[in-house]
Amino acid sequence: MPIPVFPQLPSRVLRLLPLAPLSLSLTAYAKSVAKHHPGLFRRLGEHANARFLLDPTDLPFAILLEPRQGSPKVTVTRKSGGEDAKIAGPMAALLGLVHGAYDGDALFFSRDLVVQGDTAAALALRNAVDDAELDMTQELSNLPRPLAQPLKQLAALAERRTGVCLSRPEESMAW
């Protein structure tokens, strides 16, 4: 099954968006996840202060995740540098990893996913995320009420329309 790729035209439009509001929103979201899954960051162990660059290769930006021992900060950036580990691949593959829809080893060996830098830190992040069994759409329920339901509906619609895994599948589709 091919991994969905973000269309080029909308990707070009995203180049025009300011990154600061997205960074603030993703940091608030990451802090909510940390609050409800404290073991996620404890499981990073010695890599709890590592800087992870998640690089969706089909989008015009990257996401710098700094776990900061459970008080995460997310910075959306147009350039890399200063990260301890970089994980690059299509956005659908990165989200599929979070939800257990794709097997990280299979993505790595098929070269759909590229890991650079501190591979031990990247592996610690992968193991922590796998262990937490996150469902990013379900995590929206933890946001303030006026935002939670519309965002969950939007995520469900986007998942149906694009084929991108935005929630944990009922049955594993790992390949």
Side-chain angles (χ1 to χ4, degrees):
M1 157 176 31
I3 298 168
V5 176
F6 201 81
Q8 286 185 355
L9 182 60
S11 181
R12 287 184 186 135
V13 171
L14 289 175
R15 290 177 193 201
L16 304 174
L17 290 178
L19 301 181
L22 187 54
S23 295
L24 292 171
S25 298
L26 289 175
T27 294
Y29 185 71
K31 286 183 179 193
S32 175
V33 170
K35 178 180 173 185
H36 293 95
H37 299 276
L40 172 66
F41 295 102
R42 281 197 301 269
R43 181 128 195 233
L44 288 173
E46 67 185 81
H47 305 289
N49 287 313
R51 295 166 46 102
F52 300 94
L53 187 73
L54 308 174
D55 183 9
T57 54
D58 49 354
L59 293 176
F61 53 78
I63 301 162
L64 181 66
L65 170 64
E66 299 175 75
R68 301 186 325 174
Q69 299 196 8
S71 181
K73 178 181 178 186
V74 178
T75 305
V76 180
T77 180
R78 299 209 194 274
K79 58 184 178 186
S80 63
E83 68 273 358
D84 297 296
K86 178 179 178 179
I87 304 166
M91 185 61 156
L94 297 172
L95 290 169
L97 282 173
V98 169
H99 296 112
Y102 293 125
D103 176 81
D105 292 334
L107 290 175
F108 179 77
F109 289 114
S110 67
R111 298 185 181 174
D112 289 309
L113 189 71
V114 176
V115 178
Q116 297 174 320
D118 187 345
T119 54
L123 186 58
L125 179 63
R126 174 191 163 189
N127 290 338
V129 169
D130 283 349
D131 188 51
E133 295 187 352
L134 295 175
D135 184 322
M136 302 311 285
T137 299
Q138 189 59 41
E139 291 298 321
L140 294 171
S141 299
N142 299 321
L143 295 176
R145 283 231 188 271
L147 293 175
Q149 195 56 34
L151 286 174
K152 282 179 67 175
Q153 291 171 340
L154 183 62
L157 175 66
E159 186 172 41
R160 283 192 307 275
R161 296 270 174 114
T162 65
V164 175
C165 188
L166 298 175
S167 59
R168 189 160 280 281
E170 297 288 326
E171 296 178 22
S172 177
M173 302 182 319
W175 48 289

